[in-house]
């Protein structure tokens, strides 16, 4: 583990946004986590913030007191047993997938291009191209930071209570994911080749459809997926029925709504609603968290004025005070 002081969070978060943290502890193994938690307890540091790659986090402009536990990549923390792979929480999804391919195991190609640590993906049940992390999870090991004995506990897939960008861990922020075990399938040479092609196709799709040239946090809002909310939007815009039933599989794309409400390219300070993908707010130049939050509020206000309910952000907004 490495303990750092007075760290500029904009330099370590994917979004390039954030004030300074008084203390950041980098951990890249299970032992590091135990050592770090021992140090945190001994020095009575609080609150504890958990950071993966920061791809789904809007950190505050204000400085953070307490401590940031930065769960970093260690591609060495990957083990295979039969058709299962266990990965330390800080392992990048791309390293996990590469390891699965090397071991002739299929099942994760859907996550091609998903910027994430394993811990971040499990907590938010990350998903794309019709699959979600819950489809592969067998076990998750975690520590309850609110419990003084800091024992590692285990949950199976059902206990994780996964939903659309939801999990038991997300609803219980004191739970620190330490590792996850994935159920995969043995694949022969031809099937492995097919899996690699799907993986690459998904990366290519992101490169051509998402504004990867700027830092962002991915999709800012969850798509509209609850039946009553889908109906409310369709009452105002009945012409989208065919899209809902076809292309959007019963949901409504927030990128579409944001565009149709007139926000494509909308800019405050250094933050801009991407013209390439309207559900992304890009950091186009020294954006502040306040800029991003002001855009989110403007969209939410217009949205609720139009449809009479407020859309849920997908991005995790960290506030202080
Ligand atoms: C360009 C781009 C494209 C994206 N595309 C997608 C997509 O297709 N699908 C999708 O679902 N998401 C997408 N995202 C969002 C993001 O990639 C995912 O949410 C990802 O899983 C976040 O992982 P992370 O390691 O960056 O987590 P962070 O952003 O660092 O953290 C997210 C939350 O999880 C918590 N957390 C992190 N690690 C742990 C841990 N070990 N234990 C407990 N809590 C933890 C943090 O405290 C925070 O609240 C995209 C983001 C970007 C920037």
């Amino acid at each position: 583990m490495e303990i750092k002081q007075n760290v500029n969070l904009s330099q370590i978060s994917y979004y390039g946004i954030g004030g300074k943290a008084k203390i950041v502890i980098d951990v890249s193994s299970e032992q590091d986590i135990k050592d770090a938690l021992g140090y945190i307890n001994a020095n009575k540091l609080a609150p504890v913030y958990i950071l993966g790659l920061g791809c789904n986090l809007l950190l505050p402009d204000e400085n953070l007191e307490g401590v940031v536990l930065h769960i970093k990549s260690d591609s060495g923390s990957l083990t295979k047993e039969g058709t299962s792979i266990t990965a330390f929480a800080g392992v990048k999804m791309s390293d996990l997938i590469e390891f699965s391919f090397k071991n002739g195991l299929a099942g994760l190609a859907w996550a091609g291009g998903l910027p994430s640590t394993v811990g971040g993906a499990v907590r938010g049940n990350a998903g794309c191209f019709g699959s979600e992390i819950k489809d592969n999870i067998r076990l998750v090991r975690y520590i309850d930071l609110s419990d003084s004995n800091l024992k590692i506990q285990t949950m199976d897939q059902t206990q994780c209570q996964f939903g659309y960008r939801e999990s038991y861990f997300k609803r219980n922020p004191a739970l620190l994911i330490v590792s996850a075990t994935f159920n995969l399938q043995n694949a022969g040479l031809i099937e492995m080749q097919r899996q690699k092609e799907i993986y690459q196709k998904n990366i290519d799709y992101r490169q051509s459809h998402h504004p990867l040239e700027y830092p962002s946090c991915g999709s800012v809002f969850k798509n509209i997926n609850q039946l009553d909310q889908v109906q409310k939007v369709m009452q105002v815009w009945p012409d989208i029925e065919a899209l809902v039933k076809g292309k959007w599989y019963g949901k409504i794309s927030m990128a579409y709504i944001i565009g149709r409400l007139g926000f494509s390219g909308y800019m405050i300070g250094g933050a801009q609603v991407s013209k390439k993908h309207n559900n992304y707010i890009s950091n186009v130049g020294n954006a502040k968290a306040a800029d991003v939050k002001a855009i989110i509020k403007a969209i939410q206000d217009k949205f609720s004025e139009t449809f009479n309910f407020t859309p849920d952000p997908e991005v995790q907004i960290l506030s202080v005070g």
Side-chain angles (χ1 to χ4, degrees), residues 174-196:
L175 304 187
L176 167 66
I177 297 163
V178 172
S179 71
T181 301
F182 296 83
N183 269 336
L184 302 170
Q185 301 89 43
N186 272 321
L189 280 181
I190 293 173
E191 178 54 18
M192 247 9 264
Q193 191 50 40
R194 202 182 70 87
Q195 291 291 321
K196 287 178 188 168

Side-chain angles (χ1 to χ4, degrees), residues 14 49-57 71 89 113-128 165 169 173 175-178 206 210 212 216-219 280 314 316:
Y14 192 89
Y49 302 99
I50 304 170
L51 174 67
L53 282 182
C55 297
N56 195 31
L57 254 184
I71 320 282
L114 174 75
S116 184
T117 60
V118 162
V122 170
R123 179 186 179 274
N125 187 24
C128 45
R165 303 290 179 271
F169 302 100
L175 304 187
L176 167 66
I177 297 163
V178 172
R206 285 174 184 277
H210 298 174
L212 302 184
S216 75
C217 59
S219 291
Y280 276 57
E314 184 170 324
Q316 305 298 296

Side-chain angles (χ1 to χ4, degrees), residues 73-150:
S73 182
D74 178 4
S75 54
S77 303
L78 283 155
T79 52
K80 172 185 177 290
E81 200 183 328
T83 55
S84 294
I85 293 177
T86 297
F88 173 64
V91 169
K92 286 185 190 154
M93 283 300 292
S94 53
D95 288 335
L96 166 65
I97 298 169
E98 199 180 305
F99 183 81
S100 71
F101 286 167
K102 274 191 191 144
N103 284 280
L105 293 174
L108 288 166
W110 61 269
L114 174 75
S116 184
T117 60
V118 162
V122 170
R123 179 186 179 274
N125 187 24
C128 45
F129 305 112
S131 297
E132 294 168 308
I133 210 82
K134 73 170 175 54
D135 305 332
N136 305 106
I137 285 294
R138 189 170 129 214
L139 290 175
V140 178
R141 294 171 70 247
Y142 66 97
I143 294 174
D144 184 348
L145 301 181
S146 66
D147 183 348
S148 57
N149 76 19
L150 299 175

Side-chain angles (χ1 to χ4, degrees), residues 219 221-224 233-234 236-244 247-248 251-264 273-280 299 303 307:
S219 291
F221 292 97
K222 292 182 182 177
N223 289 321
I224 307 302
V233 176
M234 282 173 61
V236 183
W237 291 344
D239 57 302
I240 61 172
E241 189 178 347
L243 281 168
V244 175
K247 189 177 170 193
W248 296 333
K251 295 183 194 164
I252 302 180
S253 153
M254 268 307 285
Y256 174 87
I257 296 180
I258 292 167
R260 189 157 162 181
L261 290 176
F263 285 99
S264 188
V273 175
S274 166
K275 290 183 186 166
K276 201 169 177 185
H277 189 308
N278 294 160
N279 201 10
Y280 276 57
I299 293 172
F303 186 111
F307 304 114

